[in-house]
Amino acid sequence: MNAPARYAHLPEPVMPRCPAQKLLGGQKALVTGASSGIGRAIAMSLADAGADVVINYVSGEDKAQALAQELREKGTRAMAIRADVSDERQVSSMFSTMIAEFGTVDILVNNAGLQQDAPFHELTLAQWNRVLGVNLTGQFLCAREAVREFRRRGVNPEVSCSAGKILCISSVHEVIPWAGHVNYAASKGGVMLMMKSLAQEVAPYRIRVNSICPGAIRTPINMEAWDTPAAYQELMKLIPYKRIGEAEEIGRAATWLASDYADYVHGISLFVDGGMTLYPGFETGG
Ligand code: NAD
């Protein structure tokens, strides 16, 4: 394929591979907050698809190490690295360690996140800063390190037709306002425009940037919304598809989005939410 002259500075396009065996064979992935919930499921799914995986954690070292061991037993290269994603120095050191051990980074999954909920008039600056610091600044710090590495290395067509992939784990609350969780919704709304602006900026380097926006997924972060029959029944009013999502379903979406099968998918928010963003209040005609 010959690029028109005005695109001459761009890397020559490489057509997506359809690998005969493993979708992510030979790729190195870093998943933040991967010792539990969605991050854990994404790490397992990427490993099943052939990627070597770094499991980032900030607490629960035993769970992170156990996951790394489980992945190694399946034949994957895996290691756990402790780092607080909101700390610039720790993030930089985590990427240096990964690059020293694995050679490079091909896939970053910005998954680490937390909630610190309060009615708005009681929300403290510390709660605001912590949630923004992890959910938004943490994604920025990790994405910046990844972009630096992707730009340094460029496209390696033996591995992937892009120079690297960033997946931001956002939320339906990047578009659905959420009373009592203003800091969380603000952080995810921020992730949406950080992701899209970054996607626009780095596309010429063949770096793909996208988000996955989970709806209600059965993990520790939202246990009070699903762990009693009454809470589950209440939750179903918000989900047209009438079931909670499982972390493995986010893992599968992440694996596809990180793979060359999704090479022309760039700058999107992929909602995996059983229809939660379909205004379920209007299910019966409003
Ligand atoms: P979880 O609590 O199991 O996972 C969050 C992980 O992030 C934990 O392992 C935690 O230790 C880690 N983490 C927190 N602060 C960190 C820091 N400073 N540095 C590194 N790691 C840190 O919950 P989850 O549901 O698996 O959440 C994962 C992501 O999915 C979050 O970004 C969350 O906002 C998003 N999400 C979850 C749901 C859901 O229904 N579960 C819905 C929408 C979005």
Side-chain angles (χ1 to χ4, degrees):
M1 261 179 288
N2 287 328
R6 72 197 160 100
Y7 295 131
H9 64 290
L10 299 182
E12 198 57 27
V14 181
M15 286 308 287
R17 302 176 308 152
C18 297
Q21 289 180 349
K22 295 270 186 176
L23 208 52
L24 301 178
Q27 303 205 38
K28 320 289 177 195
L30 167 60
V31 185
T32 66
S35 62
S36 64
I38 289 172
R40 183 179 201 282
I42 292 174
M44 295 194 67
S45 184
L46 299 182
D48 284 343
D52 296 330
V53 182
V54 167
I55 296 146
N56 158 256
Y57 68 97
V58 72
S59 59
E61 167 151 30
D62 48 339
K63 284 194 281 173
Q65 296 295 357
L67 176 59
Q69 182 59 27
E70 191 178 332
L71 297 186
R72 284 194 292 268
E73 281 163 14
K74 289 191 195 184
T76 305
R77 262 185 94 189
M79 68 185 293
I81 303 181
R82 189 189 179 287
D84 178 340
V85 297
S86 67
D87 183 301
E88 186 175 25
R89 203 176 37 79
Q90 292 183 38
V91 168
S92 163
S93 154
M94 169 168 71
F95 275 81
S96 300
T97 305
M98 176 169 181
I99 292 164
E101 292 289 326
F102 282 18
T104 192
V105 183
D106 300 289
I107 299 163
L108 165 67
V109 183
N110 263 331
N111 167 77
L114 47 75
Q115 287 177 220
Q116 293 198 351
D117 309 326
F120 189 70
H121 62 284
E122 289 172 7
L123 190 63
T124 65
L125 180 59
Q127 288 171 321
W128 174 269
N129 282 341
R130 187 69 190 137
V131 170
L132 270 289
V134 174
N135 296 10
L136 182 56
T137 308
Q139 293 216 12
F140 152 65
L141 291 171
C142 292
R144 190 180 58 173
E145 293 295 332
V147 165
R148 286 173 178 164
E149 172 60 10
F150 299 160
R151 288 189 57 168
R152 181 199 66 74
R153 174 178 33 73
V155 177
N156 176 357
E158 297 298 309
V159 172
S160 171
C161 47
S162 74
K165 279 83 57 165
I166 296 173
L167 304 187
C168 299
I169 304 304
S170 181
S171 166
V172 289
H173 294 296
E174 75 168 40
V175 293
I176 301 178
W178 204 13
H181 310 257
V182 171
N183 49 356
Y184 183 83
S187 73
K188 297 300 188 180
V191 165
M192 175 179 65
L193 272 181
M194 182 194 73
M195 178 279 289
K196 288 179 189 282
S197 303
L198 177 60
Q200 197 183 54
E201 182 169 332
V202 299
Y205 304 101
R206 293 261 145 71
I207 296 169
R208 286 199 299 115
V209 190
N210 291 288
S211 286
I212 295 176
C213 301
I217 308 296
R218 194 194 309 267
T219 74
I221 212 173
N222 59 359
M223 196 184 287
E224 74 288 347
W226 52 261
D227 74 339
T228 65
Y232 194 82
Q233 209 178 349
E234 210 41 40
L235 180 63
M236 287 310 109
K237 292 181 185 163
L238 300 176
I239 307 175
Y241 207 61
K242 300 301 174 209
R243 72 167 173 84
I244 196 166
E246 303 296 341
E248 292 69 24
E249 297 181 281
I250 306 300
R252 289 179 204 140
T255 298
W256 171 75
L257 201 46
S259 79
D260 282 356
Y261 283 138
D263 190 56
Y264 211 48
V265 180
H266 184 58
I268 66 151
S269 292
L270 176 62
F271 287 87
V272 182
D273 68 351
M276 193 179 246
T277 38
L278 296 176
Y279 297 95
F282 286 83
E283 244 171 21
T284 53

